[in-house]
Amino acid sequence: MKIQNLTTQVQYGENEESRVDELELMELAKAAAHKAYAPYSRFRVGVALKMADGTLFSGSNQENAAYPSGLCAERVTLFYANAQKPNVAVDTLLIYAETDEGALEQPITPCGACRQVILEKEHLQGSPITIILCGRDKMYRIRGIDNLMPLTFVGDVLPK
Ligand code: THU
């Protein structure tokens, strides 16, 4: 067997280096996080999406006393956007998280299940999504889910 190194690319920066449209998404995601329904984890996540037609969507994590029934902010927002505008591409997805102490110092990264859902939307639309992860001061900018999840599974291999 041979070893092959797979590389991914992430841009690291300060929030203040963000473009104006990204700052707008950041504010939207923060406002969404404040509306999270997270009484069990007290971990509030907000997501803001910019669609290719300029529409903005936002959403937050929604928990449940039957824990596995809850859903991450990324999937709440992506599923809602796809329900409203199934034929419009997602251009940018921004993620922000906070606890009772305020914004997390480090950006959070999406869970595996959410990465899979981002992947399917990219696959459907045929273009990469810019994923922005925001901490209190620092941000990561990632162009395309491949950079967060190599060797992905897409439905192409399923029998027709
Ligand atoms: N959560 C998200 O909404 N997005 C993430 O990227 C990570 C985790 C939520 C799920 C749950 O409501 C809480 O944060 C704690 O895991």
Side-chain angles (χ1 to χ4, degrees), residues 31-108:
H34 296 159
K35 292 192 245 171
Y37 179 62
Y40 305 104
S41 69
R42 307 199 67 75
F43 188 76
R44 291 178 291 277
V45 184
V47 165
L49 293 185
K50 187 176 85 182
M51 309 297 286
D53 67 358
T55 310
L56 301 177
F57 287 114
S58 64
S60 56
N61 51 327
Q62 300 295 316
E63 298 183 348
N64 193 280
Y67 291 179
S69 303
L71 202 62
C72 293
E74 293 88 333
R75 274 174 288 164
V76 167
T77 315
L78 281 166
F79 288 156
Y80 180 71
N82 209 51
Q84 296 300 315
K85 299 210 169 212
N87 301 316
V88 180
V90 175
D91 178 86
T92 308
L93 180 154
L94 183 142
I95 307 171
Y96 162 88
E98 62 180 31
T99 63
D100 294 341
E101 276 75 56
L104 290 201
E105 204 172 320
Q106 296 298 323
I108 66 153

Side-chain angles (χ1 to χ4, degrees), residues 75-159:
R75 274 174 288 164
V76 167
T77 315
L78 281 166
F79 288 156
Y80 180 71
N82 209 51
Q84 296 300 315
K85 299 210 169 212
N87 301 316
V88 180
V90 175
D91 178 86
T92 308
L93 180 154
L94 183 142
I95 307 171
Y96 162 88
E98 62 180 31
T99 63
D100 294 341
E101 276 75 56
L104 290 201
E105 204 172 320
Q106 296 298 323
I108 66 153
T109 52
C111 79
C114 289
R115 292 179 199 207
Q116 186 67 28
V117 170
I118 297 169
L119 167 73
E120 184 132 343
K121 181 65 182 171
E122 275 194 1
H123 197 63
L124 269 173
Q125 69 189 37
S127 60
I129 296 174
T130 298
I131 301 158
I132 300 178
L133 312 176
C134 285
R136 199 180 52 208
D137 312 306
K138 309 248 180 244
M139 57 103 90
Y140 306 161
R141 192 188 286 120
I142 297 151
R143 181 96 180 119
I145 194 68
D146 280 357
N147 285 303
L148 276 180
M149 186 167 69
L151 301 178
T152 53
F153 175 76
V154 286
D156 296 352
V157 291
L158 298 175

Side-chain angles (χ1 to χ4, degrees), residues 6-20:
L6 304 171
T7 58
T8 63
Q9 200 177 59
V10 177
Q11 277 183 296
Y12 291 82
E14 306 286 328
N15 287 348
E16 57 197 28
E17 292 176 67
S18 306
R19 299 193 313 252
V20 176

